[in-house]
């Protein structure tokens, strides 16, 4: 259920928006007090500096199974747990990240070292980590080449780590909760996007049951996916 494209490199960063005058062009009396000067044409980039509106601050949401929240991954704390989940055969069949911890670490590092367009998170249910999520800007992802993306479309990937939590409808509750968190905390986002493997019937069913609709089947580099979309406009009807 993860994206199979390599994330595109950053087009820029907030740091690029600072233009410091050369001291040789500055009056002597001001050489030690030069303030950074903002490039006007890069102001929009500063507004986008936090590409996902800080998931760490989104708080919790009540589900039928308990209080659920997202917390960004910290490899030093979470790598062993995530590696165990990735080596579960049911997970490995779709994520293809089974193997030593270095495999999981490399997958996380691409996101953690990026510009913030994808944030790996643990999902906590009543304080217990039990799922893994990737919240990402679908409109800035290679996925956008495969569907008519809109600005601020927000994508999600997920896995439920403990097999005892699968097959009892929990995925539906969690998907609804995370979509609500995204729409509640990202006012510029009008749609939540997902692209589960079309062969993963339980996953596709959970998306449909949680208010997503299947808009198309799309061919991605390593899978045929169901393009799932949940619209903000329908949020209060679900």
């Amino acid at each position: 259920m993860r994206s199979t494209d390599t994330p595109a490199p950053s087009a820029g960063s907030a740091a690029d928006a600072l233009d410091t005058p050369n001291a040789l062009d500055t009056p002597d009396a001001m050489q030690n007090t030069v303030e950074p000067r903002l490039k006007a044409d890069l102001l929009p980039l500063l507004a986008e500096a936090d590409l996902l509106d800080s998931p760490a601050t989104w708080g919790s949401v009540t589900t039928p199974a308990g209080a659920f929240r997202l917390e960004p991954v910290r490899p030093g704390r979470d790598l062993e747990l995530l590696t165990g989940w990735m080596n579960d055969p049911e997970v490995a069949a779709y994520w293809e990240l089974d193997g030593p911890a270095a495999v999981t670490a490399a997958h996380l590092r691409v996101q953690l070292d990026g510009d913030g367009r994808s944030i790996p998170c643990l999902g906590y249910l009543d304080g217990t980590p039990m799922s893994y999520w990737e919240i990402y800007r679908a409109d800035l992802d290679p996925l956008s080449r495969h569907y008519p993306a809109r600005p601020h479309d927000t994508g999600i990937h997920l896995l439920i780590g403990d097999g005892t939590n699968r097959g009892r409808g929990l995925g539906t509750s969690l998907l609804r909760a995370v979509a609500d968190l995204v729409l509640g905390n990202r006012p510029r986002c009008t749609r939540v996007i997902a692209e589960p493997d079309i062969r993963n019937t339980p996953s596709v069913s959970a998306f449909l049951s949680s208010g997503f609709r299947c808009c198309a089947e799309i061919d991605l580099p390593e899978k045929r996916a169901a393009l799932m979309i949940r619209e903000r406009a329908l949020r209060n009807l679900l």
Side-chain angles (χ1 to χ4, degrees):
M1 292 167 42
R2 63 189 178 94
S3 173
T4 53
D5 284 300
T6 300
S10 169
S13 67
D16 295 331
L18 294 177
D19 179 25
T20 303
N22 190 310
L24 294 177
D25 300 325
T26 307
D28 291 342
M30 297 177 62
Q31 283 191 14
N32 294 324
T33 59
V34 172
E35 294 292 337
R37 187 170 63 239
L38 209 55
K39 293 180 181 178
D41 59 334
L42 291 179
L43 281 173
L45 198 60
L46 279 181
E48 292 295 309
D50 185 354
L51 295 176
L52 283 165
D53 299 302
S54 303
T57 68
W58 288 359
S60 64
V61 62
T62 300
T63 77
F68 181 83
R69 64 183 173 87
L70 294 172
E71 183 172 318
V73 166
R74 289 159 44 190
R77 177 194 64 187
D78 305 323
L79 182 58
E80 182 178 356
L81 176 65
L82 288 172
T83 299
W85 290 351
M86 292 300 181
N87 279 280
D88 182 318
E90 290 186 37
V91 172
Y94 297 104
W95 283 74
E96 300 178 352
L97 291 173
D98 49 321
V103 174
T104 301
H107 178 75
L108 295 173
R109 185 55 55 195
V110 171
Q111 299 172 81
L112 296 173
D113 286 350
D115 61 2
R117 69 183 60 192
S118 181
I119 299 180
C121 298
L122 284 182
Y124 284 76
L125 189 62
D126 283 340
T128 300
M130 46 72 63
S131 54
Y132 172 70
W133 301 75
E134 292 173 352
I135 311 299
Y136 69 100
R137 282 287 295 269
D139 60 322
L140 303 180
D141 189 82
L143 175 65
S144 64
R145 298 196 294 263
H146 301 275
Y147 84 103
R150 296 179 188 169
H152 299 284
D153 276 354
T154 304
I156 56 176
H157 302 137
L158 77 149
L159 67 87
I160 296 178
D162 185 345
T164 62
N165 287 320
R166 302 179 201 140
R168 55 187 185 91
L170 185 57
T172 295
S173 296
L174 298 185
L175 284 169
R176 186 185 297 272
V178 171
D180 284 343
L181 282 171
V182 171
L183 295 172
N185 290 279
R186 300 210 66 236
R188 295 170 293 181
C189 170
T190 62
R191 305 188 303 179
V192 182
I193 309 293
E195 22 81 17
D197 193 307
I198 197 69
R199 300 169 300 165
N200 193 342
T201 303
S203 178
V204 173
S205 178
F207 276 104
L208 292 172
S209 298
S210 61
F212 287 76
R213 59 190 176 91
C214 184
C215 297
E217 293 185 14
I218 56 178
D219 289 313
L220 300 178
E222 295 181 9
K223 66 181 179 183
R224 185 165 180 80
L227 178 66
M228 313 297 295
I229 297 179
R230 181 173 167 187
E231 303 272 0
R232 175 184 291 281
L234 301 178
R235 183 182 180 193
N236 294 331
L237 302 179
L238 299 175

